[in-house]
Amino acid sequence: SLLLGPILGLYCRAYGGYPLDYVWTAGPPWFILWLLNFTMIYAVIAQFAAPVKMNMPHPVILLLFGAFLSAAFYGAAVGVPEVWSSLGNMVMWKFGIGLYVPFFTAGIIAGRNDWMKSVEEMETWCVWMLRTIVVGFWILMFLEAGSGIIPIPGVNIDAGVLENLLPPIYAVPMTLTLIQFFHQYFNGTPPSKIAKSAGAAAYTVYIIHPLIYNVWIIAFIAILKAAGVSIWWSQEQMFLYLTIDPATGAPSLLPGSYIWAGFLWTFFLTQLTVWPLAHYMRQLPVLNKIL
């Protein structure tokens, strides 16, 4: 937190021409710090609370629970004053109340009662139901995000309502689908070298990925500038960059094709670099003890 967040800010500020300041931000490790908080609270509660004995509910029941969490998420989103939403460096308490605390609790109950066995033995129809739901949510999120940047004819999604309802009801089927999918296709015995290396590197990838994808964003901006595209950096909204409309001389969004090209460029090059880099970082002295 003391190193990665400020480094990210410094090199982005330097490229955008902003004043260079050391600004502390928690960065990705904020979540690790909160996991430590949850773990300490659990350790205290476990001293006097009886263990919960509970078989894994049917996935359909868990989906209904996800809908309940979405209601809690929405209530926290509209009910918690903005000044309190980041209390304790929580990245918005609507996520803490609607996702992190219940999912941490569910993880403890699942681990104590061997829910993994139920996921492994899930019926085929149930597996494909969950996969279909997840893909449906992907399409919905893609349309919402895409239409916010490039208007899509016939698509009019209330982004505010969607963003304040979707996360929990999406996270439940997504979590079950990912666990089942990786068990079915990647948990070979013995595991493949790639799968084993990727699993070991995932923690490091989580920590360093903002540093990597921002490098590729900067590289894409450099390519645009080399191709003669004017880039304008906002002084009111740091790191917001636009182009200049030659007809009016006013800042405007980049053409839609450039935005999509930038998305694909950043996504694929980040994946191709962050995983190998994380793998080899874990081999370095000291880091091999903590990553």
Side-chain angles (χ1 to χ4, degrees), residues 9 26 32 40 46 67 71 79 81 86 103 123 126 130 135 142 147 186 198 218-219 230 233 237 249 257 259 262 283:
I32 300 166
M40 288 188 291
S86 298
F103 269 62
E123 295 176 273
C126 198
L130 292 171
V135 172
F142 178 83
S147 62
F186 295 96
I218 289 173
S230 298
W233 294 90
Q237 293 179 268
S257 58
I259 295 174
Q283 317 305 317

Side-chain angles (χ1 to χ4, degrees), residues 144-245:
E144 184 271 326
S147 62
I149 301 172
I150 304 171
I152 302 174
V155 175
N156 184 20
I157 300 173
D158 189 325
V161 173
L162 183 67
E163 291 170 4
N164 285 328
L165 280 174
L166 185 64
I169 202 171
Y170 164 68
V172 171
M174 182 62 174
T175 299
L176 294 172
T177 299
L178 277 177
I179 293 173
Q180 191 283 329
F181 184 85
F182 276 83
H183 162 72
Q184 182 173 348
Y185 295 107
F186 295 96
N187 278 12
T189 305
S192 70
K193 186 175 181 180
I194 292 178
K196 186 176 181 180
S197 297
Y203 175 67
T204 308
V205 167
Y206 168 71
I207 292 175
I208 68 172
H209 74 276
L211 297 170
I212 308 306
Y213 71 66
N214 275 285
V215 168
W216 292 116
I217 291 173
I218 289 173
F220 186 74
I221 296 171
I223 291 172
L224 292 178
K225 292 170 71 174
V229 178
S230 298
I231 298 296
W232 175 85
W233 294 90
S234 171
Q235 297 304 306
E236 289 75 31
Q237 293 179 268
M238 190 172 292
F239 306 139
L240 171 65
Y241 66 92
L242 303 170
T243 189
I244 299 296
D245 186 336

